[in-house]
């Protein structure tokens, strides 16, 4: 009672002090108000501390937003010095901008504005200011209905972790005078009549403290809740559990996170409304740097969500999640593709969440499937997004007979692990262990693989372990916000890349933590999905030797050979027949050594075959393993992949001519493509084609959705032309492919690495 009286006395004479990362003047604007927005760069994630010129990136949440994170009327051109969103530096890390809400955003009068949405950036967008947990920043907007409104500036976070006693700051503003009551675990600690509040209260006593703020003006009652946990010292206990989720006897589950040198980790679950809890304060195995906790009543038939909260501010899904939820991209996945994705719990947490579904045994039926010998692989590389209008694994099953009739024996899927956004080739990975939901469910993928195996077709998956992108949990656990890159103590990622071809953030493959992560992820794909092999993207990047150009990077690197052999052997220990394919393009002696050890390497012959197809002088000898001195047929030759300009586009754009014979004419261009195909598949060894090459696909790799050509559109969706099958000349090309590929399958001639041929000049023979 004495403490209650002191607090009431203090509140009588206080004025409002705003403790906010973003504040608005006036505090309760309407949609038509002139306002001043103030941003404190020292708060939130603190990424823009010391930045002289800050830019606001902003939008609105309205009554027409499809979900609580659905920004509308976005303002600001990212990565530019856009004057419309340039803020004025006020000093001391404070930045301001003045605007009229409705006119600035261009909102129709019949659309209700509910919140302003923000992130902040430096001029090129490489450093981004966000909320402390990495989420977007939202500020509510009042409507003119006269109802009571409340903005709570402090506490700022729903979850708070503290040591020993703590001076709790309570700061809020009300649009009208109201009775304000504050409770700590149900006990009233403050009761006052005010329209603003700025005070403190001492929290003490180990364990959970549920702080509830209630404001009531007689007409409207508003309530906000916050959880504080005063933690005892971390419990030091060893564990024999592996990182990730493990099911244990008696409906128990173990949760383990590898996170060296962190102070505390809490498990947040949908079972406890994503609140920190003394019961989910994780133990620490100091010898292994493993944080762990075991929970009861979670069996394999459970469906739930969970995250880790690290050091009170870093929220991540489990690095070994099989599926994740995110608040940005899941809403764009059609229900026809994946029909059971749970709603994201926007009001309770932020960031990616691990989604656990009941474990069911998939009934595999292709039990007698045997993989083709690697020297006879005919690989069909495809991007599900541009192969089918539905972008789904389910509908791909309907095209398996088409591919089997074509004569291919292996499908190579471009990356299918969780990547940032949806409209992507997938080389921007965020969760290497998780299946990206955009193409369908795990059961859909398993069914596709099983049906492919029934038809004698293997499935190879493109994996991206050169790098991770910034949403990857391994990056976020050890992150330098000020420089927007991994911090020096990151166990997996280099602070700066070691080679010039890197995108995203570069893995240190000499780190034991990285090796464990890569092998754990690869093993999961084999054991869970019966994947037949992997194509390692940019495998030449698996090096710690620093280089600034390709010639330096490509030099023979024994450490890189050892790393790749380590990964390959780990897979062969699971299944000795798994295909290991490398996009390597390194020194020939290094590739020769990798092939000798049982791997295969990509052989890019796009330029030479395009020149031959267009009718120019060319040399196709590089398609042969003999040209490389390989003692095995380990060179996967191709004249097209996802990464090169399409040969038919080159034919009709730059084709040669002689008299009435003009390669630019479609029918001639298709015949030239057929001839090039024959001179590719008549050469022994594994081969690869890019999707729709068998139908003479003639859209540029750089085609934009509006039909123009630009390198900025390289990853943009391309037209899906199954109607090409109705064109007799294109169907003839398909039939020619099918004839040659079936001839290869019937004859043992192509098992022999020896080849007699003349593949230079204008006249060639085999």
């Amino acid at each position: 009672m004495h403490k209650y009286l002191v607090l009431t006395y203090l509140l009588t004479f206080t004025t409002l002090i705003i403790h906010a990362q973003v504040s608005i003047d006036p505090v309760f604007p309407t949609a038509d108000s002139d306002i001043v927005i103030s941003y404190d760069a020292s708060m939130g994630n603190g990424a823009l501390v010391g930045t002289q010129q800050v830019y606001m990136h902003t939008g609105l949440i309205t009554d027409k937003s499809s979900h609580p994170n659905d920004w509308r009327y976005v303002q600001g051109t990212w990565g530019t010095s856009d004057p419309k969103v340039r803020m004025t530096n006020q000093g001391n890390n404070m930045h301001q901008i003045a605007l009229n809400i409705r006119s600035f955003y261009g909102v129709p009068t019949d659309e209700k504005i509910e919140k302003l949405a923000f992130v902040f950036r430096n001029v090129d967008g490489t450093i981004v200011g966000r909320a402390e947990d990495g989420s977007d920043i939202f500020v509510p907007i009042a409507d003119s209905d006269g109802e009571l409104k409340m903005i709570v500036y402090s506490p700022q976070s729903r979850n708070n972790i503290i040591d020993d006693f703590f001076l709790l700051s309570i700061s809020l503003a009300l649009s009208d005078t109201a009775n304000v009551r504050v409770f700590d675990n149900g006990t009233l600690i403050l009761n006052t009549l005010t329209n603003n509040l700025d005070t403190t209260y001492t929290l003490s006593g180990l364990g959970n403290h549920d702080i509830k703020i209630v404001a009531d003006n007689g007409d409207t009652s508003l309530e906000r809740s916050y959880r504080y946990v005063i933690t005892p010292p971390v419990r030091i206990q060893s564990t024999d559990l592996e990182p990730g989720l493990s099911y244990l006897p008696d409906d128990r589950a173990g949760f383990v996170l590898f996170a060296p040198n962190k102070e505390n980790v809490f498990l947040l679950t949908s079972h406890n409304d994503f609140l920190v809890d003394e019961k989910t304060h994780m133990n620490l195995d100091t010898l292994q740097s493993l944080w762990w906790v075991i929970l009861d009543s979670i069996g394999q038939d459970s469906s739930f969500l969970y995250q880790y909260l690290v050091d009170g501010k870093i929220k991540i899904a489990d690095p070994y999640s099989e599926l994740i939820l995110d608040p940005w991209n899941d809403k764009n996945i059609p229900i026809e593709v994946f029909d059971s994705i749970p709603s994201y719990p926007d009001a309770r947490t932020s960031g990616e969440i691990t989604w656990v579904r009941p474990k069911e045994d998939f009934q595999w039926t292709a039990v007698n499937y045997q993989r083709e010998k690697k020297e006879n692989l005919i690989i069909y590389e495809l991007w599900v997004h541009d192969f089918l209008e539905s972008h789904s694994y389910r509908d791909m099953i309907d095209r398996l007979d088409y591919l089997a009739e074509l004569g291919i024996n292996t499908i190579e899927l471009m990356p299918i692990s969780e990547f940032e956004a949806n409209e992507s080739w997938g080389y921007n990975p965020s969760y290497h262990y998780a299946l990206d939901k955009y193409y369908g469910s795990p059961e859909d993928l398993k069914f596709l693989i099983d049906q492919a195996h029934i038809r004698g077709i293997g499935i190879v998956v493109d994996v991206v372990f050169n790098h991770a992108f910034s949403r990857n949990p391994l990056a976020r656990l050890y992150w330098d916000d000020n420089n927007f890159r991994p911090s020096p103590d990151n166990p997996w990622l280099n602070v700066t890349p070691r080679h010039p071809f890197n995108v995203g953030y570069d893995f240190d493959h000499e780190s034991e933590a990285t090796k464990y992560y890569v092998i754990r992820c690869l093993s999961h794909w084999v054991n869970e999905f019966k994947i037949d092999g992997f194509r390692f993207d940019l495998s030449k990047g698996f090096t710690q030797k620093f280089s600034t150009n390709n010639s330096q990077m490509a030099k023979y690197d024994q450490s890189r050979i050892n790393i790749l052999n380590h990964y390959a052997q780990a897979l062969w220990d699971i299944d000795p027949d798994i295909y290991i394919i490398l996009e390597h393009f390194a020194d020939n002696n290094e590739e020769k050594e990798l092939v000798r050890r049982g791997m295969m390497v990509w052989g890019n012959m796009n330029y030479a075959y395009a020149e031959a197809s267009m009718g120019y002088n060319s040399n196709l000898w590089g398609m042969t393993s003999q040209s490389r001195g390989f003692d095995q047929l380990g060179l996967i030759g191709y004249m097209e992949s996802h990464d090169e300009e399409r040969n038919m586009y080159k034919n009709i754009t730059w084709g040669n001519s002689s008299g009435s014979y003009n390669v630019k004419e479609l029918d001639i261009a298709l015949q030239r493509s057929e001839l090039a195909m024959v001179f590719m598949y008549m050469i022994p060894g594994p081969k690869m084609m890019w999707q729709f090459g068998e139908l003479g696909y003639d859209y540029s790799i750089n085609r934009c959705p509006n039909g123009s050509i630009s390198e900025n559109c390289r990853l943009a969706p391309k037209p899906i032309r199954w109607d090409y099958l109705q064109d007799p000349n294109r169907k003839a090309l398909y039939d020619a492919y099918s004839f040659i590929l079936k001839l290869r399958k019937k004859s043992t001639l192509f098992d022999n690495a020896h080849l007699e041929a003349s593949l230079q000049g204008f006249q060639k023979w085999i």
Side-chain angles (χ1 to χ4, degrees):
M1 180 60 70
H2 176 70
K3 182 182 292 183
Y4 166 77
L5 290 173
V6 170
L7 284 169
T8 304
Y9 175 78
L10 288 172
L11 289 164
T12 304
F13 297 99
T14 190
T15 58
L16 178 64
I17 302 172
I18 295 176
H19 301 278
Q21 185 180 2
V22 175
S23 57
I24 306 294
D25 184 19
V27 175
F28 293 99
T30 65
D32 296 301
S33 294
D34 295 323
I35 63 172
V36 176
I37 300 169
S38 297
Y39 167 61
D40 186 346
S42 69
M43 301 187 73
N45 67 356
L48 291 168
V49 168
T51 301
Q52 293 302 304
Q53 184 58 67
V54 168
Y55 294 81
M56 173 179 71
H57 191 71
T58 182
L60 300 175
I61 307 299
T62 77
D63 59 349
K64 290 183 170 56
S65 294
S66 61
H67 62 89
N69 279 299
D70 181 19
W71 287 33
R72 294 170 62 81
Y73 305 102
V74 175
Q75 303 297 313
T77 303
W78 194 269
T80 68
S81 181
D82 187 340
K84 185 174 184 180
V85 293
R86 187 185 300 131
M87 305 186 78
T88 301
N89 190 336
Q90 303 294 309
N92 198 29
N93 286 305
M94 293 297 298
H95 305 267
Q96 287 187 346
I97 191 170
L99 54 91
N100 176 274
I101 295 176
R102 193 174 297 281
S103 63
F104 180 83
Y105 293 97
V107 190
T109 56
D110 63 346
E111 188 165 355
K112 181 182 176 182
I113 301 172
E114 297 176 347
K115 297 177 184 177
L116 304 180
F118 302 97
V119 296
F120 299 84
R121 62 173 175 86
N122 64 349
V123 63
D124 61 5
T126 57
I127 305 176
V128 183
R130 299 181 179 273
E132 186 175 46
D133 63 2
S135 60
D136 300 341
I137 304 163
F138 299 99
V139 176
I141 293 296
D143 50 33
S144 56
D145 57 14
E147 286 190 357
L148 181 66
K149 304 294 187 300
M150 176 169 64
I151 296 178
V152 177
Y153 299 109
S154 181
Q156 291 186 26
S157 177
R158 187 168 179 258
N159 281 317
N160 304 273
I161 301 160
I162 51 181
D163 297 320
D164 203 3
F165 71 91
F166 178 74
L167 199 62
L168 169 64
S169 170
I170 302 172
S171 178
L172 58 86
L174 294 160
S175 60
D176 189 16
T177 299
N179 178 234
V180 179
R181 292 174 294 157
V182 182
F183 300 86
D184 177 7
N185 284 338
T187 299
L188 183 68
I189 61 172
L190 185 151
N191 190 353
T192 187
L193 192 67
T194 186
N195 66 352
N196 59 58
L197 179 63
D198 190 67
T199 189
T200 58
Y201 167 72
T202 300
L203 287 179
S204 61
L206 295 176
N208 298 344
H209 288 261
D210 287 310
I211 305 300
K212 184 166 70 174
I213 301 172
V214 180
D216 193 326
N217 68 350
D219 296 321
T220 306
S221 181
L222 303 174
E223 183 176 309
R224 304 286 188 274
S225 297
Y226 307 88
R227 169 66 63 84
Y228 284 80
V229 174
I230 301 179
T231 61
V234 173
R235 296 180 296 272
I236 307 300
Q237 291 182 309
S238 61
T239 182
D240 57 1
L241 297 176
E242 290 281 312
L245 168 65
S246 300
Y247 291 106
L248 304 172
D250 302 321
D251 283 342
R252 297 179 304 146
F255 301 82
V256 182
L257 178 69
F258 175 72
N261 303 315
K262 296 299 183 181
E263 295 182 3
N264 61 71
V265 181
F266 280 79
L267 178 70
L268 310 180
T269 78
S270 51
H271 296 302
N272 70 353
D273 206 33
F274 297 97
L275 288 169
V276 289
D277 192 314
E278 58 183 331
K279 295 178 182 177
T280 59
H281 187 202
M282 300 181 78
N283 311 298
L284 174 61
D285 182 330
T286 53
L287 291 178
Q288 301 183 82
S289 297
L290 296 178
W291 297 87
W292 64 276
V293 68
I294 294 175
L295 299 185
D296 296 326
S297 303
I298 300 181
Q300 295 197 36
D301 58 349
S302 299
S303 180
F304 64 99
L305 309 172
Y306 73 93
Q307 293 173 303
Y308 297 114
L309 178 62
V310 181
D311 288 351
K313 61 181 181 180
I314 305 170
K315 279 184 187 175
I316 58 167
D318 197 314
Y320 301 104
S321 302
E322 295 188 20
L323 290 168
I324 68 161
L325 292 187
D326 78 64
W328 311 287
N329 305 304
D330 291 351
K331 65 182 183 294
N332 295 319
I333 299 174
I335 192 170
E336 296 82 10
V337 174
F338 203 142
D339 61 4
S340 59
I341 301 174
S343 298
Y344 188 90
D346 292 282
R348 292 176 287 163
T349 191
S350 60
E352 292 88 352
I353 309 172
T354 300
W355 172 25
V356 180
R357 303 160 78 223
K359 278 284 186 183
E360 297 180 6
D361 289 332
F362 181 82
Q363 298 302 311
W364 297 91
T365 60
V367 292
N368 296 320
Y369 168 69
Q370 291 186 336
R371 296 189 186 108
E372 184 62 67
K373 292 187 295 184
K374 63 185 181 182
E375 56 265 29
N376 291 333
L377 288 184
I378 304 296
I379 300 170
Y380 193 92
E381 186 190 19
L382 66 83
W383 182 29
V384 178
H385 185 287
D386 274 6
F387 193 63
L388 299 154
E389 294 287 353
S390 66
H391 311 161
S392 75
Y393 296 129
R394 283 182 209 162
D395 288 348
M396 247 196 77
I397 293 167
D398 296 334
R399 295 296 180 179
L400 290 177
D401 288 339
Y402 166 89
L403 295 174
E405 180 62 26
L406 176 63
I408 65 102
N409 51 42
T410 306
I411 295 170
E412 181 178 309
L413 297 173
M414 288 174 70
I416 61 174
S417 63
E418 187 70 38
F419 49 82
E420 295 185 5
N422 290 328
E423 299 286 332
S424 168
W425 279 359
Y427 296 103
N428 51 338
S430 54
Y431 284 76
H432 293 84
Y433 198 93
L435 178 69
D436 196 289
K437 303 179 296 299
Y438 188 69
Y439 307 126
S441 70
E443 293 75 25
D444 291 339
L445 178 59
K446 290 176 182 179
F447 190 54
L448 170 64
I449 294 169
D450 196 40
Q451 289 297 308
H453 285 171
I454 287 173
R455 292 162 174 81
I457 298 173
I459 300 291
V460 168
V461 169
D462 203 338
V463 288
V464 188
F465 287 107
N466 172 78
H467 55 267
F469 270 53
S470 60
R471 296 306 305 177
N472 182 275
L474 310 185
R476 298 196 63 240
L477 274 172
Y478 301 86
W479 189 253
D480 178 355
D481 270 314
N482 290 328
N483 294 298
F484 205 76
R485 65 188 186 188
S487 56
D489 59 343
N490 193 300
W492 302 276
L493 299 168
N494 292 312
V495 174
T496 55
R498 304 299 296 168
H499 61 84
F501 291 105
N502 188 73
V503 293
Y505 303 97
D506 184 32
F507 272 109
D508 173 4
H509 284 276
E510 291 185 357
S511 161
E512 291 303 316
T514 298
K515 291 176 182 176
Y516 175 88
Y517 178 71
V518 172
I519 291 172
R520 178 76 182 278
C521 291
L522 293 171
S523 301
H524 165 69
W525 290 103
V526 173
N527 294 327
E528 187 68 20
F529 293 97
K530 296 189 182 296
I531 295 297
D532 297 296
F534 299 95
R535 179 263 191 189
F536 285 83
D537 178 67
L538 193 51
S539 56
K540 186 168 58 179
F542 293 16
T543 179
Q544 284 300 101
K545 290 185 177 179
F546 182 76
S547 60
T548 59
N549 57 60
N550 183 56
S551 62
Q552 292 175 339
M553 183 184 177
K555 287 182 179 178
Y556 188 94
D557 185 341
Q558 187 62 53
S559 172
R560 183 166 55 202
I561 293 173
N562 295 342
I563 289 165
L564 288 166
N565 194 58
H566 180 68
Y567 293 150
Q569 192 58 55
L571 286 168
W572 289 329
D573 287 343
I574 299 172
D575 186 333
D577 296 323
I578 283 178
Y579 308 129
I580 309 295
I581 301 169
L582 308 178
E583 184 203 28
H584 209 58
F585 305 129
D587 181 271
N588 191 65
N589 285 335
E590 181 171 328
E591 295 203 353
K592 187 176 181 179
E593 176 65 15
L594 293 167
V595 168
R596 186 188 67 80
R597 297 188 183 207
M599 296 170 240
M600 293 174 279
V601 296
W602 265 22
N604 183 358
M605 290 295 291
N606 176 262
Y607 176 80
Y609 272 82
E611 290 295 296
S613 184
M614 288 187 291
Y616 299 106
N617 196 7
S618 61
N619 183 353
L620 308 183
W621 183 244
M623 182 66 79
T624 70
S625 290
Q626 285 170 265
S627 69
R628 307 285 295 275
F630 292 175
D631 56 7
Q632 300 180 45
L633 291 174
L635 181 69
I636 299 180
Y638 60 88
M639 55 185 179
E640 285 182 343
S641 78
H642 68 273
D643 230 1
E644 281 81 39
E645 185 58 273
R646 313 305 173 216
N647 284 0
M648 268 293 291
Y649 176 77
K650 290 184 176 182
N651 281 357
I652 63 176
T653 306
W654 300 294
N656 203 352
S657 63
S658 177
S660 62
Y661 188 87
N662 187 350
V663 177
K664 292 180 181 179
E665 295 178 4
L666 179 61
D667 292 349
I668 301 298
L670 288 167
Q671 293 173 23
R672 300 294 300 181
S673 182
E674 178 180 331
L675 186 60
M677 177 273 295
V678 172
F679 270 84
M680 173 177 164
Y681 289 102
M682 287 286 99
I683 294 173
K687 300 289 181 287
M688 185 182 75
M689 71 181 79
W690 170 244
Q691 64 184 27
F692 298 132
E694 75 282 2
L695 293 174
Y697 192 81
D698 49 14
Y699 289 95
S700 171
I701 191 176
N702 296 320
R703 184 185 189 273
C704 302
N706 65 5
S708 63
I709 306 296
S710 169
E711 290 188 4
N712 293 329
C713 296
R714 191 177 185 84
L715 277 61
K718 302 297 185 287
I720 300 170
R721 298 299 305 272
W722 285 103
D723 60 306
Y724 277 175
L725 273 171
Q726 309 309 313
D727 182 326
N729 292 320
R730 293 183 185 275
K731 179 61 164 58
L733 178 60
Y734 171 91
D735 291 339
Y737 265 85
S738 180
F739 177 84
I740 294 297
L741 296 182
K742 289 174 182 176
L743 177 63
R744 278 182 59 109
K745 187 174 182 178
K746 290 178 181 178
S747 174
T748 59
L749 180 66
F750 303 98
D751 296 346
N752 190 341
H754 181 70
L755 174 70
E756 293 183 9
S758 174
L759 298 174
Q760 300 182 46
F762 283 98
Q763 293 187 349
K764 301 174 174 61
W765 58 266
I766 295 176

